[in-house]
Amino acid sequence: ALVLWLGRRPLLSALSLSRPPLDDLAESYLPVALLRLPPLLLLRASSAVLVGYQRVKAASLLNLALACADTAAFYLLLHSSLVLAGGGLVAVGAAVAATCAIAAAAAVTAVLLLPPDAAVRVLPRRCCRRAAAAPEAEGALPADAPAAPSESSL
């Protein structure tokens, strides 16, 4: 985000946003929009962890919820009276930064509360709620786990 902010003049020029009246709009929108990048990176990393945990539905739902919230924010704020007052793009930037921060917080919470199924079977019962429902004894491997290699096979 800092690199994009420092290079905003060449970036806006390359996007043909350096001429009036677009230059003022772009200059006011860019800093607020760049606030979205850190939580977005956290959301993407958390989504990747959830997918690695085999929680693809949870990761997909979080990203879908963010896309829907962003779409609603763009539509509602750009078609409201905020645009007439001149603050529409800044309001949109703030809204999408806020929705992204909320989605990132939800994703991190999901990573912490939704361990992978294999870990639920071997974690001590005090580590997660679902471990108490696991039929295996504490610390035991599940019945369908592959057997450890014997010394003779090594």
Side-chain angles (χ1 to χ4, degrees), residues 1-2 4 34-49 63 66 100-101 103-105 107-108:
L2 181 61
L4 288 173
L34 290 177
L35 291 176
R36 177 186 170 105
L37 289 181
L40 183 63
L41 293 175
L42 182 60
L43 172 66
R44 296 300 179 227
S46 298
S47 293
V49 170
N63 287 298
L66 177 63
C100 195
V108 169

Side-chain angles (χ1 to χ4, degrees), residues 43 47 50-51 55-69 103 106-107 114:
L43 172 66
S47 293
L50 286 170
V51 169
R55 305 288 185 178
V56 177
K57 266 189 207 176
S60 298
L61 286 175
L62 283 168
N63 287 298
L64 176 65
L66 177 63
C68 291
L114 297 173

Side-chain angles (χ1 to χ4, degrees), residues 7-9 11 16 19 21 29 33 38-39 46 54 66 70 76 133 137-138 142:
R8 69 186 176 278
R9 299 267 187 238
L11 174 68
S16 299
R19 293 183 297 273
Y29 173 73
S46 298
Q54 303 299 313
L66 177 63
D70 284 351
L76 292 174
E138 189 172 314

